[in-house]
Amino acid sequence: MNSFFDLLLKSNIVFTVLYFVYILLFSNNTFHNLNRILLLFIIAISCILPFISIDFNFNQVIYLTQEIPNLKGHSIFNENTPLITQDGESLFWTKSKTIYLTYLIGVLFIIGRLVFNLIKLFKIKKESKKVNDGDFKLIYSKSNSYFSFFNWIFIPIGKKDNTNESIINHEKLHGIKKHSFDLIIAEIFKALLWFNPLVYFFQKNLKTIHEYQVDKAVLQKQSLTSYLQVILNNLPSKNKVKIYNYFGELTIKKRIKMITKNKTSNWNLLKYTAIIPIIAALLMSFNFKNDNLENTPSILPINKGSYHKISSKFGKRMHPILKKERFHNGIDFTAKIGTEIRATADGIVSTATRSKKGYGIMVIIKHNDTFETLYSQMRNYIVSVGERVKKGQVIGYVGNSGNSTGPHLHYEVRKNNEPVNPEDFFSIK
């Protein structure tokens, strides 16, 4: 789940950055065809770029092991052992699940609305009079506005006047240019990033470009004065469905401004090359790894304020069960059962299982050639072997499994397969 949100965050960042670039550099250009391609490209690259993985750190190699190294007297066990939670208890309902559910509701709402509008459209078509006009179908409906969807052109009953043919030709151009494909793609993309308000403006910009394209094509065959009169007689209406092309889509002021605007100089085409280094910078920022910052344990496995105390530190101590002096390989954090346990660095889960003795339910994360961390005495874990985890990501919950006298987390840092003092990597105050 966390990996999904990580990809979603990256997609949102790519979209936001590129959309702002479009607004600042290209939105006022008269290169309407190129701007349409650019907007569709922003959708595509926002969905693709987060999945591209390039390791810019050539010195770092992460290996996944199938066995656990000898852990100072504890037995080696198999990672395929099924997950057993204390007393058969189920996983907690976490904050991340609540966020995921909220996100899913938003996605389903927008997709559901898309499906509803498509069903409604087919119903209108079925109940209306239809006339074939070459590759197009003219549909005389009870709607209040002229609009089109692919090669279907919907015409309000009773609005036959001398501008009717001009509007129909306008809508045919939407069909020829396949603008409905763009709008459906934009609607699905909006469902993915519905939480970002910019995606709604983006959708409006795409429809604006569609109108600019058609206006430009119409004016090659029709006078500016007569065409502006047609626009004036068909003012924009409210509550429009986003996946249809409406004749009165834009305000007159905005439309006239672009129609009468001087053609943008071809020198401005060079600005479009700015997209390349921006995408390259985004790709590097997502994939560049710094061992010192990302792959070295550097935070507490339990947030400050969420644990009671440090019951045992690294070093020799009197074993609480065996009542003998033994070396303690890690640090014990006493906390309530169910307290969130977090990965202390980026890495790959190499083990997620329950030992037959000692560590109880546990997770081992391999961070790089040098470091790995161990989290044990857990109630349960919510990661799986081979999963990539991020620093701060919740991997499980405090429990009382294995050799334990009370709820706590046993946390170890291992450097070159040898236990080291976790306190060397963070400060406890």
Side-chain angles (χ1 to χ4, degrees):
M1 187 181 300
N2 286 282
S3 297
F4 170 77
F5 282 126
D6 181 56
L7 292 171
L8 191 64
L9 176 61
K10 290 179 179 179
S11 179
N12 188 49
I13 292 172
V14 173
F15 164 72
T16 301
V17 171
L18 294 182
Y19 180 58
F20 273 122
V21 171
Y22 169 79
I23 294 297
L24 293 173
L25 298 181
F26 312 119
S27 60
N28 291 321
N29 291 345
T30 59
F31 304 125
H32 307 316
N33 293 335
L34 190 56
N35 279 352
R36 177 193 180 188
I37 293 172
L38 177 58
L39 289 175
L40 294 176
F41 175 77
I42 289 174
I43 292 177
I45 202 67
S46 297
C47 295
I48 295 172
L49 198 65
F51 290 93
I52 299 177
S53 179
I54 301 175
D55 190 357
F56 291 102
N57 186 350
F58 299 102
N59 294 321
Q60 177 185 319
V61 180
I62 296 179
Y63 298 96
L64 255 182
T65 58
Q66 295 301 314
E67 293 183 343
I68 305 171
N70 192 353
L71 299 176
K72 299 290 182 180
H74 291 278
S75 62
I76 297 176
F77 42 89
N78 191 304
E79 77 280 2
N80 293 320
T81 304
L83 168 63
I84 304 173
T85 58
Q86 203 66 6
D87 301 323
E89 295 172 300
S90 62
L91 297 176
F92 283 98
W93 184 264
T94 65
K95 293 179 181 178
S96 60
K97 289 181 180 178
T98 302
I99 295 172
Y100 179 77
L101 179 61
T102 303
Y103 171 76
L104 186 61
I105 290 172
V107 172
L108 293 177
F109 173 78
I110 294 177
I111 295 297
R113 187 176 60 183
L114 171 62
V115 173
F116 172 80
N117 286 326
L118 290 175
I119 293 173
K120 183 179 178 180
L121 184 71
F122 278 91
K123 184 178 179 181
I124 293 173
K125 175 180 176 289
K126 184 178 180 181
E127 297 174 351
S128 302
K129 178 184 176 181
K130 297 170 281 291
V131 177
N132 291 326
D133 184 6
D135 294 331
F136 294 89
K137 191 176 290 293
L138 306 183
I139 302 170
Y140 294 90
S141 67
K142 296 180 181 179
S143 62
N144 296 321
S145 303
Y146 291 89
F147 68 94
S148 61
F149 183 73
F150 290 98
N151 288 2
W152 298 349
I153 300 174
F154 292 80
I155 304 170
I157 295 176
K159 277 200 175 185
K160 294 182 179 180
D161 53 38
N162 58 354
T163 65
N164 182 273
E165 184 177 353
S166 179
I167 297 174
I168 291 175
N169 289 334
H170 175 103
E171 295 305 317
K172 283 182 178 179
L173 285 169
H174 280 301
I176 292 171
K177 293 181 180 295
K178 309 298 182 185
H179 286 161
S180 294
F181 278 115
D182 299 6
L183 298 181
I184 290 178
I185 292 170
E187 190 72 8
I188 294 172
F189 181 68
K190 184 175 71 175
L192 295 176
L193 297 183
W194 62 263
F195 53 87
N196 186 341
L198 293 178
V199 77
Y200 300 90
F201 293 101
F202 175 88
Q203 190 177 39
K204 289 182 179 180
N205 284 134
L206 183 58
K207 299 193 79 174
T208 298
I209 290 298
H210 290 168
E211 295 304 319
Y212 289 164
Q213 282 185 298
V214 172
D215 287 345
K216 184 177 180 179
V218 168
L219 288 172
Q220 293 176 357
K221 299 180 179 180
Q222 186 173 350
S223 69
L224 176 60
T225 303
S226 63
Y227 188 58
L228 290 178
Q229 187 61 49
V230 173
I231 296 175
L232 183 62
N233 293 338
N234 292 269
L235 297 175
S237 58
K238 297 180 180 180
N239 302 320
K240 294 182 177 179
V241 178
K242 301 300 182 183
I243 59 171
Y244 309 156
N245 293 111
Y246 291 88
F247 178 75
E249 188 66 43
L250 307 175
T251 63
I252 293 178
K253 182 178 178 181
K254 191 171 185 179
R255 209 156 178 175
I256 292 176
K257 183 178 179 181
M258 184 55 70
I259 287 174
T260 57
K261 184 180 178 67
N262 292 329
K263 183 181 178 181
T264 304
S265 170
N266 287 336
W267 285 105
N268 284 278
L269 290 170
L270 294 174
K271 293 194 297 185
Y272 287 86
T273 60
I275 294 294
I276 298 174
I278 292 172
I279 291 175
L282 288 168
L283 182 62
M284 291 185 67
S285 67
F286 292 154
N287 289 278
F288 182 77
K289 299 296 181 183
N290 186 321
D291 275 352
N292 292 329
L293 297 177
E294 303 296 337
N295 300 95
T296 299
S298 59
I299 63 172
L300 289 166
I302 300 178
N303 289 338
K304 288 184 178 180
S306 297
Y307 63 89
H308 303 308
K309 64 178 181 178
I310 305 298
S311 57
S312 293
K313 293 193 174 186
F314 182 83
K316 289 186 178 181
R317 64 159 187 176
M318 183 63 66
H319 196 284
I321 296 176
L322 300 177
K323 303 302 180 182
K324 297 179 180 180
E325 190 177 73
R326 292 288 179 89
F327 193 90
H328 191 233
N329 293 337
I331 290 181
D332 291 346
F333 296 82
T334 61
K336 291 181 180 179
I337 289 181
T339 301
E340 291 180 340
I341 300 171
R342 300 180 182 275
T344 57
D346 291 0
I348 299 178
V349 178
S350 61
T351 301
T353 189
R354 180 173 188 166
S355 66
K356 296 178 181 179
K357 60 180 181 179
Y359 285 111
I361 297 173
M362 61 172 290
V363 168
I364 295 177
I365 300 174
K366 194 167 185 64
H367 304 292
N368 51 30
D369 282 347
T370 304
F371 291 104
E372 67 180 8
T373 51
L374 177 148
Y375 313 77
S376 67
Q377 270 72 53
M378 302 170 72
R379 181 181 190 266
N380 47 40
Y381 50 78
I382 56 173
V383 292
S384 56
V385 173
E387 179 179 345
R388 287 186 176 273
V389 294
K390 290 289 186 179
K391 181 188 298 185
Q393 178 179 330
V394 176
I395 60 171
Y397 303 93
V398 169
N400 191 26
S401 59
N403 292 342
S404 175
T405 58
H408 74 285
L409 166 68
H410 174 77
Y411 171 66
E412 293 185 14
V413 176
R414 301 182 66 81
K415 183 177 182 180
N416 297 321
N417 292 326
E418 291 295 327
V420 294
N421 190 350
E423 288 191 66
D424 292 341
F425 301 88
F426 56 75
S427 59
I428 301 175
K429 298 181 180 180

